[in-house]
Amino acid sequence: MAEEEPVRRLGVVPAPFPGEAFVSWVDTVAASLRVSRAAALRTLGLPGSASFSTHQFHLNPEQLEGLRRRTGLRPAQVERMLFGFYAPTVLPQLAEDNGRVGQGARVSQPWLRRDHSAACPLCVEASGGRWLLGWRLKWTFLCADHLVYLVDRCPRCGLRLYWRLEATGAGQRTRCVRPAARNGRGARRLGATVCGFPVAEMPALPVGDEEAVHVQRRVQALLIPADVSHNETSRRLLQQLVLIIRDVTHRKTLAGLLDRMESTVIDAVHETQGQPWQPPLAWTLERGTPAAVSALVRIAARSVLWDTPGAGPPG
């Protein structure tokens, strides 16, 4: 019987940034090794393509042990970078009956930016190109540290940021690497000139409303798992928010819904409106910028998280 090939420990392994997404960390490893994302995955002992259709959600115990032996990262450090981290709170569909994250977990969830990411350009610049896991949840719409709404599209080409299907994964840590030419397939498209707009220079709308910051901090506290009691309360409150938002997206008028919100947020909501006969908020969650999505969360929070400044208890 052939002996198992020994696992080689990598010489230099970038430490995960606090709250970093796994795809961002792998791309950081790729940048440090000067290889592609796919090559970095193979070096880390992870099979599959560079699209990250699998590795965003869950790694099995064997893969976690392989990463530990190659990088020194503890399983808990790796699991903190995966979508499965949110299974106890906002993504319970990822959990099996025993509370563990299913190995084949997949989820189509309207509040999940599965294929792309939003970002705070100032955070990306300060961290040297690290992208946070929380930015892949639409519940995260602003940066409370820099008081700006997140951006999720490149201002030059208009395409989504940090697209998971891009083979040049490491490059999009700091620049938009979407093809500048949208037509063509295969090698023709892959060979197209990339956009190249620096993420750090992408304009972000400033937050001038205390309510928006307060709601974001309250929601963020609900997203982060803790003890059983906290997780149960978080799931209940988040589900209440979802139900209210589902209701308001079917209303035929905006009357009273956007009261006391900034003009930039109101403008962002109007930009997502569909046909005249459709409810004005029908497309906000799917098509809206983080600033527009913030309006949905704030509308619901005024009923569920009623201690928000400027919003009294539900009457």
Side-chain angles (χ1 to χ4, degrees):
M1 183 176 179
E3 294 185 3
E4 183 179 352
E5 184 178 348
V7 174
R8 184 172 65 89
R9 175 71 177 265
L10 298 179
V12 178
V13 178
F17 194 78
E20 187 173 13
F22 188 63
V23 61
S24 171
W25 177 74
V26 170
D27 286 343
T28 302
V29 172
S32 69
L33 298 176
R34 298 184 179 181
V35 298
S36 68
R37 177 191 291 173
L41 283 171
R42 291 192 295 270
T43 301
L44 294 170
L46 298 175
S49 69
S51 68
F52 265 80
S53 59
T54 300
H55 304 316
Q56 294 189 100
F57 290 91
H58 169 77
L59 296 178
N60 62 42
E62 291 76 18
Q63 291 170 329
L64 290 171
E65 174 61 18
L67 275 173
R68 186 194 66 78
R69 295 169 65 184
R70 289 174 173 84
T71 67
L73 294 185
R74 301 185 306 276
Q77 289 178 280
V78 178
E79 290 173 331
R80 176 60 181 85
M81 297 188 283
L82 305 171
F83 283 138
F85 172 75
Y86 292 113
T89 56
V90 73
L91 295 176
Q93 59 270 59
L94 292 180
E96 296 179 330
D97 292 339
N98 59 8
R100 298 179 62 87
V101 177
Q103 292 190 21
R106 298 290 185 277
V107 60
S108 176
Q109 223 267 6
W111 288 90
L112 185 65
R113 298 182 179 105
R114 174 174 174 170
D115 294 332
H116 67 285
S117 180
C120 167
L122 298 172
C123 286
V124 171
E125 180 180 29
S127 66
R130 304 298 186 100
W131 292 61
L132 304 186
L133 181 64
W135 292 345
R136 290 183 171 260
L137 297 175
K138 293 183 181 180
W139 292 107
T140 307
F141 48 81
L142 63 77
C143 174
D145 292 331
H146 295 109
L147 295 180
V148 295
Y149 288 101
L150 303 184
V151 297
D152 67 344
R153 290 182 181 272
C154 173
R156 175 183 290 169
C157 68
L159 298 178
R160 301 284 192 184
L161 300 180
Y162 222 112
W163 191 246
R164 71 180 176 93
L165 300 179
E166 295 297 338
T168 54
Q172 59 184 332
R173 293 165 56 249
T174 55
R175 293 180 178 272
C176 173
V177 298
R178 305 300 299 279
R182 302 189 191 186
N183 59 339
R185 293 180 177 273
R188 179 183 170 191
R189 183 176 177 87
L190 291 175
T193 303
V194 300
C195 172
F197 196 93
V199 175
E201 296 179 14
M202 294 182 180
L205 295 174
V207 179
D209 192 326
E210 183 182 352
E211 180 193 59
V213 179
H214 182 79
V215 170
Q216 180 66 95
R217 286 175 171 157
R218 287 294 310 275
V219 170
Q220 192 66 32
L222 296 177
L223 298 177
I224 303 300
D227 55 45
V228 173
S229 176
H230 167 85
N231 296 343
E232 290 178 350
T233 300
S234 294
R235 287 195 299 271
R236 175 175 55 81
L237 292 176
L238 289 166
Q239 184 59 30
Q240 290 179 20
L241 292 172
V242 168
L243 292 176
I244 293 173
I245 291 170
R246 190 176 300 166
D247 173 68
V248 300
T249 57
H250 288 87
R251 294 188 186 181
K252 296 182 179 180
T253 176
L254 287 172
L257 293 178
L258 303 181
D259 289 352
R260 304 190 305 277
M261 294 192 189
E262 303 154 279
S263 60
T264 52
V265 171
I266 296 174
D267 291 342
V269 169
H270 287 313
E271 289 172 1
T272 66
Q273 291 184 8
Q275 299 299 326
W277 62 84
Q278 294 175 322
L281 295 175
W283 295 101
T284 303
L285 182 59
E286 180 177 342
R287 299 178 180 175
T289 64
V293 173
S294 77
L296 295 178
V297 181
R298 290 164 66 179
I299 291 168
R302 288 171 176 177
S303 296
V304 178
L305 310 176
W306 55 263
D307 57 341
T308 301

